[in-house]
Amino acid sequence: MAQTRVLDMSRVPFIPGRIHATNNEYQRYGPKGFMEIKILENDNLYVRVDLPGVPDDGVRHRVDSVRQKVVFFSGEETLSDKKNAREYAGTAGLGCDCCEITGVDAKMKDGVLRMIVSRVKVKDHDNKCTHFLPPNTGKSGRYNMDDMNIMAEVEDHPFVVKGPKRSDHYSTQRRGDGSVCVSFDLPGVCGDDILVLPNENEVKFYGENKEVYEHDESCRIFMGAVNGAYLCAPGVPLLSHHIAWDAEFGVLKVRISPPGSNSD
């Protein structure tokens, strides 16, 4: 797991208020939605799907062989904690009767599936087709604060068929030596994109996917924190712990180990 990194804060865009993407409590900037579909200049479709935790070689896809209208995709999360591992399954494609899918170029990287869906008109050639399924439904939400809690508007992941459906459901594993492992969904982010900043009360993190793909609108930026009270060994200050982190397949993993524990 990684240690201290230096971040050039001049590269961070201004992010007003406490706005986040409703698909992810920690996403503060960039394209929203669990899925994004848009029409390219050559009339093909670009499809982005967030599948955090799925390995780069762990996704499967196929085109409906009967009607050639829909792409089916699926994948499984790889975690040491098999009990909370997620399984994903979903579809994307055409919502019209005038086109058919002729091919799919798919790439899975850092918990994000990107597909170029080629299509051809089979009738009604005079009109440009703009119908596809499902539409881009990415939205913004606010944090609702009361005297006791800060709650975020967060949607369930529509393609999770097994396991936790919400990005704000971070998983915590406490080991026999007192160390704690916590994970967060940051789709598109790799280990080099992460900065973790602990203080005496909490562990903050900042993630920015520096590699912006050709058809993505921009980078995505994630910010969040976890209260040290949930992480500390009894009677041991947070900053006395050994804190390490890394990101794999779009999931940030932070390990907090008390002094003297086996933190390998």
Side-chain angles (χ1 to χ4, degrees), residues 16-93:
R18 291 185 61 80
I19 299 292
H20 64 92
T22 55
N23 57 287
N24 191 306
E25 174 185 356
Y26 310 113
Q27 184 180 332
R28 301 288 300 280
Y29 179 86
K32 298 182 289 290
F34 298 101
M35 172 183 281
E36 177 187 13
I37 303 180
K38 63 183 179 182
I39 301 175
L40 304 178
E41 292 183 0
N42 61 5
D43 214 32
N44 291 338
L45 301 181
Y46 171 66
V47 182
R48 171 190 57 81
V49 190
D50 290 345
L51 305 175
V54 176
D56 295 350
D57 60 354
V59 72
R60 299 176 295 276
H61 71 277
R62 63 178 178 86
V63 177
D64 179 5
S65 59
V66 177
R67 300 189 65 232
Q68 295 180 301
K69 301 288 186 182
V70 174
V71 180
F72 298 92
F73 56 85
S74 62
E76 293 84 35
E77 188 174 26
T78 56
L79 291 173
S80 56
D81 179 16
K82 299 294 184 182
K83 181 179 178 180
N84 291 319
R86 290 168 291 187
E87 296 181 8
Y88 300 90
T91 61

Side-chain angles (χ1 to χ4, degrees), residues 124 137 209 217 246:
D124 192 19
T137 57
N209 62 302
E217 297 175 11
D246 200 358

Side-chain angles (χ1 to χ4, degrees), residues 197-260:
L197 301 168
N199 58 39
E200 64 270 18
N201 299 314
E202 61 186 1
V203 177
K204 297 181 179 180
F205 61 84
Y206 173 95
E208 174 188 352
N209 62 302
K210 299 181 178 67
E211 184 175 1
V212 179
Y213 286 77
E214 178 183 3
H215 301 297
D216 291 344
E217 297 175 11
S218 70
C219 71
R220 285 195 281 182
I221 290 178
F222 300 86
M223 297 179 180
V226 59
N227 193 314
Y230 297 104
L231 308 175
C232 293
V236 182
L238 177 59
L239 291 181
S240 297
H241 290 66
H242 175 76
I243 301 174
W245 65 90
D246 200 358
E248 188 176 29
F249 311 137
V251 177
L252 167 64
K253 298 179 181 180
V254 181
R255 186 176 64 228
I256 298 92
S257 306

